[in-house]
Amino acid sequence: RLISRVGSGLGLAQSGPMRTLFNSTINTINGNVVLVNFKGSINNVSFSFDIINETLGNPQCVFWNFSLFNGLGGWDDEGCELVSNANETVTCNCNHLTSFSILMSAFIPKEIQAILAYITYIGVGISLGCLVICLIIEAIIWRKVCNNNTLRLYHVSIVNIAVCLLIADIWFIIAAAISSPNVENPPACRAATFFIHFFYLALFFWMLASALFVLYYSVHVFDGVVSEHAMAIGFSLGYGAPLIIAIITIAVTAPNNQYVQRTGVCWLNWDESKALLAFVIPALLIVVVNLFILVVVMCKIFSSRGTGNATSAHQNHVLLSIARNLVVLTPLFGTTWCLGIGTMISPRNEGIHIAFAVFNSLQGFFILVFATLLDKTVCMCLYQLLTKHLEGALRNHICY
């Protein structure tokens, strides 16, 4: 069902307080209320209305959101915009676009909804491409980096971070496709929310695993086969911890129908159960812990320079290179989700919404640049492989 109307405000025609998101009492219906019944889903609707009272101004386009006020419903202007207002006729268009901004704030200023959606989908497209390139590069250089314990564990972390973000972005696109302002918490929406929650958390826990690997090898430097215990701990932390958090969250909130937002968005609830804290708190704690670990590692590396043998010096060089990468990535992810909290604190601030959408949608690009392309070890491996390939091709050409 879809009910759409236009007027200077929201609600039923001059019959008392209007049931809207902000319960405005100064608005009235100034056009026909249209009820449309349909089977399936509609993503874009346009209506034209004849104005009843010409003395009223500031026309506004809204729809009846059945999920507001615990299922009672109310007028809502999210995703609806005024197309034209001329010749006593008003034309409205409702297109419920979904952007990353809805991950943190249920309210998105109407003026920038389309902009945020375009930023999100373009950014996600770029990120998905960058993550695929990152994984291809990791596959190409894998044999080279496996010769060093520290590098191997670090690149295991980078591969898993890229995979988690790739899957999370894919699930976000699926969630955006199945989100509907007229259907409250469908089962598919809960499933999408669970996987988005799990894989975004896994990304942060693998960031924590990377920092812990660096801390471990800055204290215990040794050569040989990578410790199976260290690898097992990494996977347990990277996937086990977020899985436990995600399962507990859905188990506690789903029975009371408070797991998913009630605004037609497939993401963790905030208004009733505060389930969103099950993502925000672990993510920001990991950012703080990572920064502390990296400061300790950097201080230890610099203090031990010139006091060890060649092997230790090489190991310190590797650790320093990895730590620099993490020093860049950790604040970037932290800044992204701090901006997300900003959208909750100041939901009407358009600049914060746009900045959050840009940073969030380009996380895959940041991983490719700072964890892969600007890594000297990766660049050296790629250069050696490319040189070897070119020399072989040139040799074959000369022999021919």
Side-chain angles (χ1 to χ4, degrees):
R1 295 177 180 174
L2 173 69
I3 298 179
S4 183
R5 63 150 294 276
V6 61
S8 62
L10 318 168
L12 300 176
Q14 303 187 39
S15 59
M18 313 306 175
R19 191 158 75 230
T20 71
L21 190 62
F22 302 103
N23 285 326
S24 173
T25 59
I26 62 173
N27 301 311
T28 62
I29 290 288
N30 194 20
N32 295 320
V33 175
V34 179
L35 173 63
V36 179
N37 292 306
F38 63 90
K39 294 181 179 179
S41 61
I42 295 178
N43 296 323
N44 192 296
V45 180
S46 293
F47 285 104
S48 294
F49 300 88
D50 293 328
I51 296 176
I52 296 175
N53 186 348
E54 299 179 18
T55 62
L56 296 177
N58 188 29
Q60 187 176 5
C61 300
V62 297
F63 72 100
W64 187 261
N65 189 339
F66 289 90
S67 65
L68 290 180
F69 305 107
N70 296 322
L72 291 175
W75 294 109
D76 191 354
D77 64 352
E78 181 180 356
C80 294
E81 62 179 355
L82 178 67
V83 177
S84 66
N85 177 21
N87 300 323
E88 302 180 6
T89 301
V90 174
T91 301
C92 293
N93 179 272
C94 289
N95 187 351
H96 289 85
L97 302 173
T98 303
S99 74
F100 267 124
S101 198
I102 56 92
L103 293 179
M104 300 300 293
S105 176
F107 176 82
I108 302 175
K110 182 177 63 176
E111 296 78 11
I112 61 169
Q113 286 178 4
I115 296 174
L116 291 177
Y118 293 137
I119 290 174
T120 294
Y121 290 123
I122 292 173
V124 167
I126 294 173
S127 275
L128 292 177
C130 290
L131 290 170
V132 171
I133 294 173
C134 177
L135 292 174
I136 291 173
I137 293 175
E138 290 291 338
I140 292 173
I141 66 170
W142 190 253
R143 290 185 179 180
K144 290 283 187 179
V145 299
C146 284
N147 295 329
N148 182 286
N149 291 321
T150 313
L151 282 176
R152 183 179 180 185
L153 285 175
Y154 170 69
H155 282 278
V156 165
S157 300
I158 292 298
V159 167
N160 282 279
I161 287 171
V163 169
C164 289
L165 183 57
L166 181 67
I167 298 175
D169 283 348
I170 291 173
W171 271 107
F172 176 83
I173 294 173
I174 294 173
I178 64 177
S179 295
S180 171
N182 304 312
V183 180
E184 184 179 343
N185 301 350
C189 195
R190 295 194 194 101
T193 299
F194 176 85
F195 285 113
I196 294 172
H197 183 202
F198 169 68
F199 283 107
Y200 273 131
L201 273 182
L203 180 154
F204 279 95
F205 275 97
W206 272 107
M207 289 286 292
L208 176 61
S210 298
L212 290 175
F213 287 152
V214 174
L215 178 63
Y216 177 78
Y217 278 110
S218 68
V219 177
H220 302 282
V221 179
F222 62 89
D223 294 320
V225 181
V226 174
S227 171
E228 294 298 331
H229 294 294
M231 192 69 74
I233 291 172
F235 276 89
S236 299
L237 181 63
Y239 291 114
L243 182 61
I244 292 172
I245 294 173
I247 290 175
I248 291 175
T249 303
I250 192 172
V252 171
T253 59
N256 297 324
N257 199 26
Q258 295 179 346
Y259 179 59
V260 181
Q261 293 186 22
R262 295 179 180 271
T263 55
V265 173
C266 298
W267 184 231
L268 297 171
N269 186 289
W270 172 253
D271 294 327
E272 291 87 13
S273 65
K274 299 295 185 288
L276 183 57
L277 292 177
F279 170 74
V280 174
I281 292 176
L284 294 185
L285 278 177
I286 288 173
V287 170
V288 173
V289 171
N290 267 23
L291 290 175
F292 175 76
I293 291 174
L294 292 172
V295 169
V296 172
V297 169
M298 298 285 275
C299 291
K300 180 170 181 56
I301 291 172
F302 285 117
S303 64
S304 63
R305 277 188 167 183
T307 60
N309 54 32
T311 302
S312 298
H314 174 71
Q315 183 75 354
N316 283 339
H317 176 75
V318 172
L319 289 172
L320 182 60
S321 178
I322 296 173
R324 284 171 178 168
N325 295 340
L326 293 176
V327 162
V328 175
L329 284 177
T330 299
L332 273 175
F333 287 128
T335 300
T336 297
W337 293 103
C338 284
L339 287 170
I341 294 177
T343 65
M344 298 169 63
I345 297 174
S346 182
R348 296 182 180 276
N349 190 311
E350 298 179 3
I352 295 179
H353 279 282
I354 292 174
F356 177 61
V358 170
F359 273 81
N360 207 344
S361 62
L362 291 177
Q363 287 184 93
F365 172 76
F366 297 145
I367 290 174
L368 174 64
V369 172
F370 295 107
T372 304
L373 298 182
L374 293 183
D375 189 308
K376 292 182 179 179
T377 304
V378 173
C379 291
M380 183 61 68
C381 289
L382 289 175
Y383 175 76
Q384 291 174 353
L385 290 171
L386 181 61
T387 303
K388 183 178 179 180
H389 178 75
L390 290 176
E391 288 177 351
L394 182 60
R395 190 182 302 112
N396 291 336
H397 179 74
I398 294 173
C399 291
Y400 179 77

